[in-house]
Amino acid sequence: MNTHYDLHSHSLASDGTLSPEALVTRAAAAGVEVLALTDHDDTGGIAEAQGAASAIGIVLVPGVELSVTWGRQTVHIVGLHIDPASSVLQQGLARLREFRNWRAEEMGRRLARSGIEGAYAAASEKARGRIISRTHFAHFLAEQGYAASVRDVFKHFLKPKKPGFVPGEWATLEEAVGWIHAAGGQAVVAHPARYNMTASKRRKLLAEFVELGGEGLEVVSGSHSRGDNFGMAQLARMFGLKASAGSDFHGPENPWVELGRLDPLPEGCDPIWSNWSFSSGCDARAAV
Ligand code: AMP
Ligand code: MN
Ligand code: MN
Ligand code: MN
């Protein structure tokens, strides 16, 4: 039988709403056998998730989702099988979090100028000492009735050209791939169909990514349509990239995305896990 993989998910260590343990429990109940925890710019949830996965008997792949600025846009690079103890990686993550903290304060100031008071304090409170994400702001603004849904808050307040938006100054693509490799991991371009860029710009991104030694493309994503999956499978083949698959689950309050609920990889893909070896049932490593 095919192993059931979900290689992109979030916990309370970033902008997800479940603890790492609850996430792993839910993944196992959904039939996931190999789960990657890929919190934004933070690896603080991995130890708890590893413990829960060993207890339940599924495989936890240590991961991270790095914020990158490329071509004046934000793109996300997932690292799989990273060693969270890597000092190169942790120094990089610390820099991203420093920018996040400044950005959150600046978002608060900009929202205050448009008449929305207290957003920074409320978002920090929600983040509970972990990274502060636009998602934390969005939940506060939605609760306060500034828009009908979290999605609408993003649309009206938190996207480029909107009052609470602060342009990213994240890692370069080269840094992100370098940090992931320094931590022994494989680099994967996350949800490639979701970026608001032309097809030729997307191909340029992938060409640079391959040049830098990047390994994978998230061909199947919870935020892709069926058609996107096929288009991205074609791109993966064109660029010689391995194919990954992940739900990008953030929490049960979004019923559109569920752990493990993923389309199969289209025919002809080379799965990113094709050279992974599973030793004890609670540990997985990329064979080198
Ligand atoms: P940040 O990294 O702080 O800029 O926040 C990005 C996160 O916001 C993404 O990882 C998503 O979880 C969330 N997000 C982005 N766009 C939307 C949207 N339109 N609706 C809901 N959540 C979104
Ligand atoms: Mn997120
Ligand atoms: Mn992402
Ligand atoms: Mn994600």
Side-chain angles (χ1 to χ4, degrees):
M1 214 179 82
N2 285 333
T3 305
H4 198 154
Y5 291 83
D6 187 337
L7 301 178
H8 189 151
S9 69
H10 296 273
S11 76
L12 280 174
S14 65
D15 60 350
T17 56
L18 297 183
S19 69
E21 183 182 8
L23 181 81
V24 167
T25 305
R26 189 179 180 98
V32 173
E33 293 160 287
V34 181
L35 174 74
L37 177 63
T38 55
D39 276 307
H40 299 285
D41 306 329
D42 199 303
T43 56
I46 290 173
E48 181 184 323
Q50 286 278 21
S54 321
I56 292 174
I58 70 168
V59 175
L60 193 282
V61 175
V64 69
E65 181 173 16
L66 297 178
S67 307
V68 165
T69 302
W70 181 86
R72 285 191 297 245
Q73 279 180 281
T74 296
V75 300
H76 286 170
I77 304 295
V78 159
L80 296 174
H81 286 298
I82 45 121
D83 174 3
S86 157
S87 59
V88 172
L89 174 65
Q90 290 303 335
Q91 276 167 33
L93 295 179
R95 196 185 94 202
L96 295 180
R97 289 195 297 262
E98 202 177 311
F99 173 70
R100 267 190 187 282
N101 287 337
W102 174 83
R103 180 188 70 153
E105 290 173 21
E106 180 63 16
M107 283 174 71
R109 287 189 285 270
R110 292 189 190 191
L111 288 168
R113 284 204 288 274
S114 13
I116 301 172
E117 296 293 341
Y120 172 71
S124 331
E125 167 80 25
K126 285 182 187 299
R128 299 197 294 183
R130 309 293 199 140
I131 68 144
I132 309 186
S133 147
R134 278 186 292 162
T135 308
H136 298 116
F137 282 87
H139 286 164
F140 168 70
L141 265 67
E143 280 160 24
Q144 296 291 306
Y146 288 106
S149 65
V150 164
R151 187 168 285 264
D152 280 353
V153 172
F154 270 92
K155 193 165 148 197
H156 298 299
F157 297 95
L158 303 179
K159 294 225 163 162
K161 303 195 177 84
K162 298 299 172 185
F165 182 75
V166 179
E169 288 168 31
W170 305 113
T172 64
L173 189 62
E174 183 171 12
E175 285 170 330
V177 173
W179 299 342
I180 290 166
H181 286 170
Q186 292 171 294
V188 176
V189 176
H191 42 64
R194 208 166 81 193
Y195 306 120
N196 187 12
M197 54 177 72
T198 60
S200 68
K201 188 170 177 185
R202 190 176 288 110
R203 286 195 298 270
K204 187 161 177 272
L205 168 68
L206 297 186
E208 279 184 34
F209 181 70
V210 167
E211 185 70 22
L212 293 167
E215 285 86 359
L217 188 68
E218 204 170 70
V219 166
V220 170
S221 163
S223 60
H224 282 174
S225 68
R226 265 281 160 89
D228 291 335
N229 293 344
F230 284 99
M232 296 307 113
Q234 233 171 356
L235 278 183
R237 282 196 295 273
M238 191 188 294
F239 285 93
L241 286 165
K242 290 174 175 286
S244 188
S247 63
D248 205 0
F249 178 84
H250 280 71
E253 56 288 325
N254 175 4
W256 303 109
V257 174
E258 184 50 82
L259 283 162
R261 200 169 68 203
L262 286 165
D263 293 326
L265 285 182
E267 292 282 311
C269 285
D270 176 16
I272 187 106
W273 53 81
S274 62
N275 69 342
W276 291 2
S277 63
F278 298 96
S279 41
S280 63
C282 59
D283 192 15
R285 284 183 217 294
V288 277

